[in-house]
Amino acid sequence: MSKFFSPKYDSLVPYTPGEQPQDRKYIKLNTNESPFPPSPVAQRLSRQAAGDNNLYSDPECHELVSVAAAKLGVAQDQILFTNGSDEILNFAFMAFCDSQTPAVFPDITYGFYKVFADVCGVPYQTIPLNSDFTVNINDYIGINKTVFIANPNAPTGIALPLEDIEKIVASNKNNVVVIDEAYVDFGAQSAIPLIDKYDNLLVTQTFSKSRSLAGARLGFGVGNKNLINDLKTVKYSTNPYNVNRCTMYAGMGALYDNDYFKENCNKIIQTRELTAKKLKELGFYVTNSKANFLFAKSDKIGGKELYLALKEKGILVRHFDTQKISDYNRITVGSADEMQVFINAVTKILEEVK
Ligand code: PMP
């Protein structure tokens, strides 16, 4: 740390992204990326747009907003695109939390929430999940704080039904409820249909997972137009050109090519179910994931031990050294072939520990 770094960040612990080691080629099942390349339409539109990169991108992303709004059935002033959904989440912490209105989220959830709270200097409360890792919605009824819920949750993959989300939103009319739907396309119900009914609901989604554009960085928020305007105020006060030209066109291509998106989601869901079945046959406990990853533990081998043994075999999964979940690993669902290699490796590792 330099002597110039503001003391306000003395206790800031930054988010640790999943490792991206360069020492050898790994099967990457650790950062919830899609195993499939971006849609050919997304690639073509993005390449074409590169020729205009001497010009700034459109800060309002008009063309993308118009395609997305039509697809989602929302008005154009109810949507804001950002540099990944991390950015809209950061904007939400900046816009809707302060010392009078702290943030609240589960103790086991997306690890970035507490970092956003810390970097924005806002207090936050964490609420323990039930022992089966489900969210107890009663904990959030009328809680009087800005609520952040990932649905499906990460790293557990467990989803709440829309009725439960609605109960939380309806009971917190004076507070914003942010539903982070980064993984919703793999089997959960979106809360987007509720945005006209509740002016306190913000739904965030990403193109990083189901639309194969993690490297392009594209996410968005959908909500009441006044919420979106607040978020725009924050955006225009930090980085007006937050979505670059190539990314905006890649996003449009991904939306046009709906068949490709649907087909890939279905493949991931099928591979997830098959991999979960095989893990269970190997004696693992596997949560009921509706995301593009599995969360699993074995009583034959510790979480960290399995993570290290897989890494040695060239397979990366995500292990969290956090007390309540240290027995588990989060395993991104890759292609069917990758998952077969993974299952073979796990089988071998378990034989070796016998
Ligand atoms: N929310 C959750 C729950 C996530 O796991 C992630 C991915 N790390 C994000 C949001 C952010 O993804 P991105 O910025 O790539 O849209």
Side-chain angles (χ1 to χ4, degrees), residues 119-136:
V119 79
C120 294
V122 299
Y124 65 88
Q125 178 193 348
T126 58
I127 298 183
L129 293 179
N130 292 324
S131 58
D132 62 357
F133 294 143
T134 52
V135 172
N136 181 354

Side-chain angles (χ1 to χ4, degrees), residues 15 32 83-87 89 110 113 150 152 154 180 182-183 205-209 214 217-219 330:
Y15 177 70
N32 298 343
N83 191 304
S85 59
D86 279 338
E87 190 178 46
L89 291 165
Y110 184 31
Y113 298 159
D180 172 354
Y183 301 102
Q205 290 193 7
T206 181
F207 280 54
S208 296
K209 322 288 175 185
R217 314 301 303 125
L218 187 64
R330 191 195 68 190

Side-chain angles (χ1 to χ4, degrees), residues 294-326:
L294 291 163
F295 195 55
K297 72 167 177 179
S298 162
D299 52 18
K300 300 194 189 84
I301 186 166
K304 185 151 195 184
E305 217 184 320
L306 177 60
Y307 153 78
L308 288 171
L310 284 166
K311 188 169 178 182
E312 216 175 277
K313 292 190 185 303
I315 300 171
L316 286 179
V317 296
R318 186 93 197 245
H319 177 257
F320 298 91
D321 240 333
T322 314
Q323 203 203 355
K324 282 191 191 171
I325 55 172
S326 61

Side-chain angles (χ1 to χ4, degrees), residues 133-166:
F133 294 143
T134 52
V135 172
N136 181 354
I137 63 154
N138 293 328
D139 291 338
Y140 297 86
I141 299 298
I143 193 163
N144 214 21
K145 298 186 171 75
T146 304
V147 179
F148 290 82
I149 302 244
N151 195 41
N153 197 10
T156 64
I158 298 172
L160 282 173
L162 189 56
E163 307 91 80
D164 284 358
I165 296 289
E166 181 161 8

Side-chain angles (χ1 to χ4, degrees), residues 205-274:
Q205 290 193 7
T206 181
F207 280 54
S208 296
K209 322 288 175 185
S210 53
R211 296 189 190 270
S212 301
L213 285 173
R217 314 301 303 125
L218 187 64
F220 63 93
V222 184
N224 177 276
K225 70 172 191 222
N226 295 327
L227 288 186
I228 294 298
N229 272 337
D230 297 340
L231 293 162
K232 280 190 185 175
T233 300
V234 173
K235 163 193 149 106
Y236 279 97
S237 308
T238 47
N239 187 9
Y241 305 106
N242 56 340
V243 175
N244 73 65
R245 179 179 294 277
C246 292
T247 291
M248 186 184 89
Y249 281 95
M252 284 166 60
L255 290 175
Y256 290 141
D257 201 351
N258 207 45
D259 290 348
Y260 184 77
F261 156 75
K262 279 242 162 83
E263 200 182 298
N264 287 344
C265 289
N266 287 338
K267 281 190 206 159
I268 295 288
I269 292 168
Q270 272 177 22
T271 309
R272 178 186 72 209
E273 297 306 311
L274 186 64

Side-chain angles (χ1 to χ4, degrees), residues 30-213:
N30 68 329
T31 43
N32 298 343
E33 289 140 324
S34 172
F36 309 116
S39 141
V41 186
Q43 294 190 40
R44 179 166 44 81
L45 293 188
S46 171
R47 260 197 310 273
Q48 280 168 7
D52 289 326
N53 264 340
N54 54 314
L55 304 173
Y56 281 110
S57 57
D58 169 12
E60 288 287 317
C61 291
H62 281 102
E63 287 176 89
L64 175 58
V65 165
S66 127
V67 177
K71 180 132 272 164
L72 299 169
V74 303
Q76 297 192 16
D77 56 8
Q78 292 177 314
I79 181 162
L80 175 64
F81 277 94
T82 51
N83 191 304
S85 59
D86 279 338
E87 190 178 46
I88 194 118
L89 291 165
N90 188 19
F91 288 172
F93 275 88
M94 292 167 82
F96 306 126
C97 304
D98 55 33
S99 57
Q100 302 305 305
T101 313
V104 62
F105 40 85
D107 62 340
I108 298 167
T109 189
Y110 184 31
F112 220 142
Y113 298 159
K114 55 166 135 11
V115 182
F116 288 135
D118 285 341
V119 79
C120 294
V122 299
Y124 65 88
Q125 178 193 348
T126 58
I127 298 183
L129 293 179
N130 292 324
S131 58
D132 62 357
F133 294 143
T134 52
V135 172
N136 181 354
I137 63 154
N138 293 328
D139 291 338
Y140 297 86
I141 299 298
I143 193 163
N144 214 21
K145 298 186 171 75
T146 304
V147 179
F148 290 82
I149 302 244
N151 195 41
N153 197 10
T156 64
I158 298 172
L160 282 173
L162 189 56
E163 307 91 80
D164 284 358
I165 296 289
E166 181 161 8
K167 281 182 197 152
I168 297 173
V169 178
S171 73
N172 284 289
K173 291 235 160 75
N174 293 322
N175 288 95
V176 174
V177 176
V178 179
I179 305 299
D180 172 354
E181 296 186 349
Y183 301 102
V184 75
D185 297 323
F186 302 105
Q189 282 173 290
S190 175
I192 290 179
L194 298 180
I195 62 160
D196 284 325
K197 196 164 165 194
Y198 299 101
D199 65 2
N200 60 325
L201 170 63
L202 178 72
V203 179
T204 66
Q205 290 193 7
T206 181
F207 280 54
S208 296
K209 322 288 175 185
S210 53
R211 296 189 190 270
S212 301
L213 285 173

